[in-house]
Each structure stands twice: as structure tokens, then as C-alpha cells.
Amino acid sequence: MKEAKIITRDLTLHYSQKMALNSINIQIPEKEVTAFIGPSGCGKSTFLRCLNRMNDLIPNVHIKGEILIDGLNIYQKKIDVVNLRKKIGMVFQKSNPFAKSIFENVAYGPRINGINNMKLLTGIVERSLKNAAIWDEVKDRMHDSALGLSGGQQQRLCIARTLAVEPEIILMDEPASALDPISTGKIEELIFELKKNYTIVIVTHNMQQAARVSDFTAFFYLGELIEHGKTRKIFTAPDNKQTEEYITGRFG
Amino acid sequence: MRLKNKLIGGAIVTSSAISVVLIIAVIVIILVVTIIGGKDKLSWEFLTSFPKEGMMEGGIFPAIYGTVLLVIIMSIAAVPFGTITAIYLSEYAHEKSWLAQTIRFAVRTLATVPSIIFGLFGLGFFIKFVGVGMDNWFLGGQLRWAQPNLLWGSLTMALLTLPVVIVSVEEAIRTVPMELREASLALGATKWQTIWKVVIPGSISGIMTGTILAVSRGAGEVAPILFTGAAYYLATLPTSVSDQFMNLGYHIYVMSTQSSNVDQTLPIQFATTLVLLMLTFTLNFTAVLIRSRLRRRVK
């Protein structure tokens, strides 16, 4: 196992009074793909959104415990959340391009970081679009609205937009759940390419997808981390009975 | 039971139909009467010349000019302020915080206050308090700001139209999907960058709708400027915000109640009414168009 990029210690999260995550301890390795699986409402998305502090936006969320990224607790007071989110990109379930041109969507992140030199921006945008495997499809219409792209293209554009900020970690919240099989396949190939350079955490409902793309799998159930290990092991010989029942489709 | 339901249903349909017919009839009558009464008078010259012969003859240019200046200054005051308030309410305030609830209560109340009360408030606050204060502090008691003028009239009107702006802008801001805000924040944008680059561009049509509705309201109201800036007659155009101004709505009022010969000025009254109606109709129609496009986008 490579070095751990993300480590959580007794991470517990409450929505008002209701416990959504119960004492999660996990180590997520660098430059590998880790998949979170589990039935709806098991806390896997909530956990993912703790990793870039997206849950800060929701009122009445209380978090205890620690999340260490490169050894630094991201929930300590002096952490700059804005800088943290530049380091940890996120791709959402529903593709959410801005109502701007394809170019401006990708340039958004660099621009807010103060890069306004057109030559520099053009280079970043081109590189990001190439890395997100969508360059060939959009290179001739960079200044058309991003909303004119298909769902799958929009999602890859959102990945390109995330790459443009040069994060180290990419969180993906069911990135392919709204896409057709061909688009899904493209996203999965892309994830395979991206893990050479990025640590990827992906939440998925699709067990085959988890098996195909991930190196490690974590199974969540009712706010608890039930089992975490190499994907091959989780899918062939899980230690826990609940994991086995979920994977073989007996519940969930 | 069935018969009773049928009767109630029939009564509702009938009364709605009567209301619709009545409303349309009123609009048609107003339009027909003003068009017939004013069409001979309405001309390019009428729009571009000063009143003559004790306002018995001539045009209404100063009233148009004054109205336009009024709504421009009013918009400069009301739109940024209303937009900022709407942003605060929808992006920063917690739904249940006392400050947000107070603002919402104030906005609702403000919208129901009779416009003449705004006029009295403007007189008391802007002229008797701010104006007198400014003259005493900066001009050593010389009279300049402590009297009705374009600035006080515009600001009073801005207060009246503020709820319109706040409500339309807030409605537009709420149509910007949460996912876009999240996308921006996840890219490392600050909250303010997200508002400036995603939320405001996404609600620009609502800001425009609010502005146009405010302008059309401001162009049509008379009561708020009665005591705060509108003049009966001016021989020259206002050249500074401390000058008084003429106004279309007020001009109609003056012509129909203060004129020495009301019958003789009737064509001027009709023509002025027609100009005011066309102005507000056009503005409102534009606002409705923009708003319906906005609503379509939400679906």
C-alpha cells in the first residue's frame, strides 16, 4: 500500500441530533482510486463532502474527530478552507457547468487564482481539456456555451474544470450515475488515466463500476465504515458478512 | 351535493369571467378615451417643446425630462441598494435570524405603505432633517438643500420602489441552482467570488426586471414627489440635483385641477396621459417578457 494521503480519526458527524457518520477511521492511499460503496443514506456522500469541507455550507452539521490530509488536520481553526478546496477538487453527481463558454468554464478556477494572462490561460485550458479526454470534441467550439454539450461531455468538462486548478485529490460523487453506458465508459477510462497523477475518491452506487475502476473499496452502512480493503479482496472474499450480502445483492 | 358543487363552481367561473371582462373593459375604455382625446395634440413638437401661454398651449418636454431624470437617479439609488439587500437575504442571512426576519417584515410593510406617506416621510426626513442639517453644517445656514428638489424627490421615490427591487432580485437569485454555487466553491472560490461571478450573472435578468418594474412604478407615482421636488411650472430645465423638476404625473394633476381653464387644456391632459401610459405600459411589458424568460429557464 502506498503512503496514506488522507487519514481520518474517529470522524463523527451529526445532522442536528441525528448521527450520520459514526467514528470513521480510514486511510486513503495516494495516487490510487478508492471507491465508497453502500446503500442510499449510508453516509458515503456525507463522508466524501467532509473531505473538502463542503458540509460547512449546510447548517446544523456538527463534526468531531480529525481528518488529516498530508498530515494536516483540515478541521483545525487556522485552516483556510478556500485554499484547501483548491487542493481538493470535486466532481458532482449532476454535471454543473456554468452558463459560460467552454473556455470560461475551464478558465474559471485559474482566473479566481488571479491568472489573467490569455496565453497562460489558453495553455491551462487546453492541457486540462486534453487530460479530461474532451479536447478533440470541443477544440473547435471553445467559445460556445457549455450548456450545449451532451451530459457526458458536460461531466468531462467539469472534470477538466477541476483539473485546471491543479488539485492533488479529486473527489467524485457518483460522477456517472446520470450518464448513458458509453459516456460512463469514457469517464471510467478517464479515472484510470487520472490516478497516475491524482488521488481519487469516488462514491458510486454501481458495484461493477467500483470493481472496475477502484484499487481500494470501502463499504459503508448506516453511518459506519463496515469494511475497507483492496477492491479485489472486498469483491471476492470480504471479511464481513454484511459486506458480502451487499455485494452479492442480497440487500441494498 | 353534486348540484351544490356545480352551483358553487358555476358561480366562481361566472364571477371570474365578469372580473376579467370588467378589467379588460376598463383598460380598453381608458385607452380609447385617452387616444381619442389626445391624438390630435400628440406630435413631435408636443413632446419636445415647453408649455406656453400659462400652460394652455405648447408641449410637455420639461415634464418628460424631469420624469426621466427622476427615474434615473431613483434607479441609481434603489437598484444597487436593493440588490445588495437581496444578496444579503438570500446568500448570507440565516432564514431564521432576527435581522433577516426584520428586513423581510420591513420590506413587506414598506410595500403596503400608501405612497402619500412616503411623500410626507421624504418631506420630514430628507428636507426637514437631512437638508436642514446639510445647510447648517456646510453652508452656514444658507438655504440650498432644505427645500424640495430632484435629489430628495428621487430618493423618496427610491424608498417607495425598494421593495419591488428587493423582491424581484431575490426571486431571481433563488433560481440560480445550488449546484453552481457548490461548483464554484469546490474550485476554491470564496463566497464573494461565487456571488460576483456566478450568482449575479445568473440573476442578471431578475435584476433587470426589478429595475424596470421600479422605473415604471416610479414614473407613474405622483404622491411621493408632491412635497419633495415636483414643481408646478418651471421655465428652465433642472441643471442640478438641488433644482426642482416637472413630472408627467404631476403635470396631469396640475392641468386637471389647477389650470385656470380646465376645458381648454383637456387635449393636453389627454395627450400627456397617453404619453405616461405608453411609457409605463412599455416598461411593464418589457419586465414581464424578461421575467417569463427567466421562469422558463427555471423549468
Side-chain angles (χ1 to χ4, degrees), chain A residues 37-45 174 204-205 220-223 246 251-252:
Chain A
I37 59 168
S40 299
C42 68
K44 57 193 191 302
S45 280
E174 300 185 41
T204 178
H205 257 119
F220 288 80
Y221 185 55
L222 299 177
Y246 182 69
F251 80 98

Side-chain angles (χ1 to χ4, degrees), chain A:
Chain A
M1 186 159 158
K2 291 179 190 168
E3 208 174 317
K5 183 80 175 168
I6 306 170
I7 300 170
T8 73
R9 292 199 185 125
D10 294 325
L11 188 84
T12 300
L13 182 145
H14 286 86
Y15 283 120
S16 299
Q17 301 301 316
K18 194 179 160 287
M19 183 183 277
L21 291 171
N22 183 12
S23 194
I24 306 290
N25 287 287
I26 192 172
Q27 300 205 357
I28 294 171
E30 187 171 18
K31 293 186 183 168
E32 302 266 22
V33 178
T34 301
F36 292 172
I37 59 168
S40 299
C42 68
K44 57 193 191 302
S45 280
T46 304
F47 182 56
L48 189 78
R49 294 168 67 94
C50 287
L51 302 179
N52 66 344
R53 293 189 54 174
M54 261 341 228
N55 287 328
D56 290 14
L57 306 176
I58 303 164
N60 301 322
V61 166
H62 300 284
I63 293 168
K64 277 183 293 189
E66 288 183 336
I67 297 179
L68 305 174
I69 292 181
D70 293 331
L72 198 68
N73 180 10
I74 63 166
Y75 276 94
Q76 54 183 339
K77 275 218 173 76
K78 63 175 184 192
I79 284 286
D80 178 356
V81 182
V82 167
N83 273 328
L84 176 79
R85 294 199 187 122
K86 284 173 186 163
K87 193 167 142 182
I88 307 167
M90 187 165 207
V91 177
F92 297 83
Q93 180 173 7
K94 211 177 118 195
S95 61
N96 51 1
F98 301 123
K100 301 175 189 285
S101 69
I102 292 166
F103 182 91
E104 284 303 329
N105 261 279
V106 184
Y108 185 89
R111 275 194 200 277
I112 58 174
N113 286 325
I115 299 173
N116 279 311
N117 179 318
M118 247 348 233
K119 215 173 145 193
L120 216 58
L121 277 179
T122 312
I124 294 172
V125 169
E126 180 175 339
R127 194 171 63 239
S128 306
L129 288 168
K130 278 180 176 160
N131 288 339
I134 189 179
W135 170 251
D136 290 331
E137 291 157 64
V138 300
K139 65 181 179 210
D140 299 322
R141 45 170 172 155
M142 295 290 281
H143 298 284
D144 292 359
S145 169
L147 304 180
L149 298 172
S150 74
Q153 288 173 325
Q154 285 189 8
Q155 195 59 297
R156 276 177 288 145
L157 178 70
C158 290
I159 294 173
R161 184 174 67 182
T162 302
L163 298 180
V165 190
E166 298 178 355
E168 295 168 21
I169 301 168
I170 301 175
L171 309 176
M172 297 186 172
D173 192 357
E174 300 185 41
S177 66
L179 302 180
D180 61 82
I182 291 170
S183 302
T184 302
K186 285 184 180 160
I187 300 272
E188 287 179 6
E189 279 169 36
L190 180 56
I191 292 171
F192 204 75
E193 279 300 308
L194 290 175
K195 76 170 182 181
K196 290 174 191 158
N197 297 308
Y198 304 90
T199 305
I200 293 174
V201 186
I202 177 170
V203 164
T204 178
H205 257 119
N206 179 331
M207 231 97 58
Q208 285 76 32
Q209 185 171 64
R212 282 193 300 263
V213 302
S214 71
D215 305 297
F216 292 83
T217 297
F219 171 59
F220 288 80
Y221 185 55
L222 299 177
E224 309 221 11
L225 175 60
I226 305 293
E227 191 169 353
H228 174 222
K230 286 217 147 130
T231 297
R232 195 183 305 164
K233 175 156 190 309
I234 296 273
F235 277 88
T236 52
D239 293 331
N240 188 287
K241 198 161 176 295
Q242 277 174 317
T243 314
E244 189 187 353
E245 283 176 352
Y246 182 69
I247 282 167
T248 52
R250 249 169 280 168
F251 80 98

